[in-house]
Structure formats: C-alpha cells, structure tokens
Amino acid sequence: MTLHQFTTPAAGEPRLTSLSHGGGCGCKIAPGVLEGILRGASALPVPPELLVGIETSDDAAVWRLNDRQAVVATTDFFMPIVDDPADFGRIAATNAISDVYAMGGTPIFALALVGMPVNVLSQATIGQILDGGAAACRAAGIPIAGGHTIDSVEPIYGLVALGILDPAHLKRNCDARAGDVLILGKPVGVGVLSAALKKGALDADGYAGMLATTTRLNTPGPELARLPGVHAMTDVTGFGLAGHALEMARGSGYGIRLDWAAVPLVAGARALAAAGHVTGASGRNWASYGARVALDPALTDLDRALLSDPQTSGGLLVACAPDAAGEVLACFRRHGFADAAAVGRVEGEAGMLSVG
C-alpha cells in the first residue's frame, strides 16, 4: 500500500507536492550557481558587531549585543516536500529553527513566511500548514510573533528564526581543527524518500521514518556548543552531506575524510535510490562540487547520489577533538538521536573531501 492511498487532499484540491517544481531543501539553488550569484554582489562594510555574515556560507547571521549576548538570525522557506499540510508546516518550521541550533544558539521567537495559491488551496488547508509550523515552534518553546503573507503560484512556507547565545559559545562552520572527529546527528537520504513520495512509491513505514527525522528538532546544539572540545558545527541540508562537509573544509582551511560505511542512512533510502528515486538536486549538487571530492573507486553512482542527496531538516555535523567524541555522542543520545555516529575526520588536502 502506497502512502497516497491513505493520505488524500481535501475535496477538489490537488496534492501539495503536485504544485511545486521541487520540494523541501531540494528547491535550493545549486551551490555552484549560488556562488556565482553572490560573487557578483556588491560587498558592504562589515561592522565589528557582525560576528558571522556570508563569508563562509554559515547557517545564520550572528550580531553581538554585548560581551555576554549575541542575536542569531536566519530564514528558511520552501515548497511542499509532503502532501499532508500539517506535516509540511512542521517540517518547514523545524528546518528553519535548525539553523539557530547549528550556531549553538537557543531559539527565542519566529516570524512566519507564507506564500500560497489562494485560488487553488482552501483556507482550511492553508490553516493546517500554519498550524503545523506553530506546532514545531511550540516544541521548540518559542512563539510565532508575526510574519508576512503573499498570494503565490506555488505554496511556500517557512520562518525567520531568531535566537540568542553567549558569543563565547558561538560555533561556526569554519573552525574545525586538524585531527578533529566528525559526528553526524541524523541519517541521510531524505531527498530520496521525498522523490519516491512524489512518485507514489513510498509506503507508510517509509513516510513515518521520513517524518520522524525531518520533524526532530536539533536541540543538542546549545549543549554541544558549550562543550570545550567542540570546535565547529553546521547542519546538513540542501547541498547534501558532501556539500556541507566541503563548506566546513573550505572555511576551516583543512581537508575532510568521510568513512562512507559509517554514515547512517534513513531506512529504505538505499533501496529506493537503487530503484531510481533520486532528486534532480542531487545531480546539480554533484555538478557544482564533485571536482573537489575524491571517491574511493569501490564506491558507485548510487553512493555518489546519496552523498549529494539534499537533506531537508537534516542533522548537525560536529567537528570535535577526538577525546570529546564520546561526550558529543552521549549528548546526542540524551536528546534522542539514536542514529548519531562518528563519520570522519578533519584531514587531507585543504578544501577537499575524500570519501572511502
């Protein structure tokens, strides 16, 4: 039995995923294209209070208020990755809040970003999307304090998420150190499952697994940021595990080596990818950065597709001292992240990724 046999749209309405040309973080502009766009943007003066800007493609901006407080600001929004409106809202909101956690911050409130085809979707369906987002915010302990709405061709939902942290505990994506261990908090493969869902090939167990990982808040972030052995953090989203590992490598000035056999996968992802359920974003990702990735000859095109698979609401990727790895894994376990695993090390040619 496929998911669409028991999850149906409201009477007279299309499936949400049929209204979007790409779902979730698979909608992101390919990293190579984005790099070209930003390269042409005019540089602005950077005030000393701006602790994190666009320099290393980090997860959020950070502005120092005083010696003990800084504001974390980020935004994320996308088109539907699932057909259930409440689930779409939960996933999108969880994904947006993750960027605050990835900097080591604690979320404090959010603003909703809503674009909906109001002549296609009912007010009830749109309301369920917003309710799903509000449920994720309640789970994070924050209110939605406002937002903005527009009438758009494709459904779009997300958040501006604000947080706060002590600048001493700020964790950027560019501060990994040679010899660090890399620990990944969530399994990868969400893009593959979303591609299968759109084609009606994902069963109920697969959907439940997809929902479990995409709606799990990355709550270990602030606790991890306070551990002295943790040097860098980011979250794995639309550019895939390989892309976000490369951002960490390039920003830190080191190489990264991934142990592919140690990387956790969402249940069913490999089989679905082998059946052809791979997103177009995976190929665009690889075209953008594949030249900087050295793959073990034993790895296949299937492995490559999973490495570049776009993750929606993906896990934290943490670079820590080897003697802190056990403490980092224990922190993930306390927060319910049973799949967290050590997946590599910071070593090799600067700005390059090797996978074996």
Side-chain angles (χ1 to χ4, degrees), residues 86 89-90 93-94 97 101 107-110 127-145 157 159 215 217 219:
R90 286 178 64 203
T94 303
I97 297 167
Y101 290 129
I108 52 175
F109 71 91
Q128 289 174 51
I129 294 170
L130 272 59
D131 286 346
C137 288
R138 283 196 299 272
I142 63 173
I144 295 179
Y157 180 72
L159 300 176
T215 61
L217 292 160
T219 53

Side-chain angles (χ1 to χ4, degrees), residues 1 3 6 193 202-212 266-267:
M1 180 180 288
L3 179 69
F6 50 86
L193 271 63
L202 189 67
D203 63 19
D205 288 340
Y207 185 75
M210 176 182 171
L211 197 63
V266 179

Side-chain angles (χ1 to χ4, degrees), residues 238-252:
F239 299 156
L241 176 58
H244 292 282
L246 275 166
E247 285 182 343
M248 184 177 283
R250 182 171 59 180
S252 301

Side-chain angles (χ1 to χ4, degrees), residues 11 26 50 69 147 152 160 179 200 203 222 225 231 235 246-247 282 288 331:
L50 185 62
Q69 294 177 310
S152 65
V160 175
D203 63 19
H231 301 140
D235 61 349
L246 275 166
E247 285 182 343
S282 176
S288 294
C331 176

Side-chain angles (χ1 to χ4, degrees), residues 28-53:
K28 291 179 75 169
I29 294 174
V33 176
L34 181 60
E35 187 176 338
I37 293 171
L38 294 178
R39 191 183 302 121
S42 299
L44 295 173
V46 178
E49 293 86 359
L50 185 62
L51 302 182
V52 180

Side-chain angles (χ1 to χ4, degrees), residues 31 239-243 246 284-293 307-308:
F239 299 156
L241 176 58
L246 275 166
R284 293 192 295 272
N285 281 342
W286 193 261
S288 294
Y289 56 63
R292 291 188 284 136
V293 182
L307 267 167
S308 57

Side-chain angles (χ1 to χ4, degrees), residues 247-338:
E247 285 182 343
M248 184 177 283
R250 182 171 59 180
S252 301
Y254 297 108
I256 284 179
R257 178 171 180 80
L258 291 178
D259 177 4
W260 182 236
V263 174
L265 297 178
V266 179
R270 179 172 287 276
L272 288 168
H277 299 294
V278 176
T279 70
S282 176
R284 293 192 295 272
N285 281 342
W286 193 261
S288 294
Y289 56 63
R292 291 188 284 136
V293 182
L295 289 180
D296 187 291
L299 299 183
T300 65
D301 289 346
L302 177 60
D303 297 309
R304 187 180 73 181
L306 289 165
L307 267 167
S308 57
D309 184 57
Q311 303 307 289
T312 298
S313 190
L316 296 177
L317 184 63
V318 181
C320 66
D323 60 4
E327 197 171 9
V328 170
L329 285 168
C331 176
F332 274 117
R333 302 282 188 265
R334 284 194 299 275
H335 287 259
F337 288 73

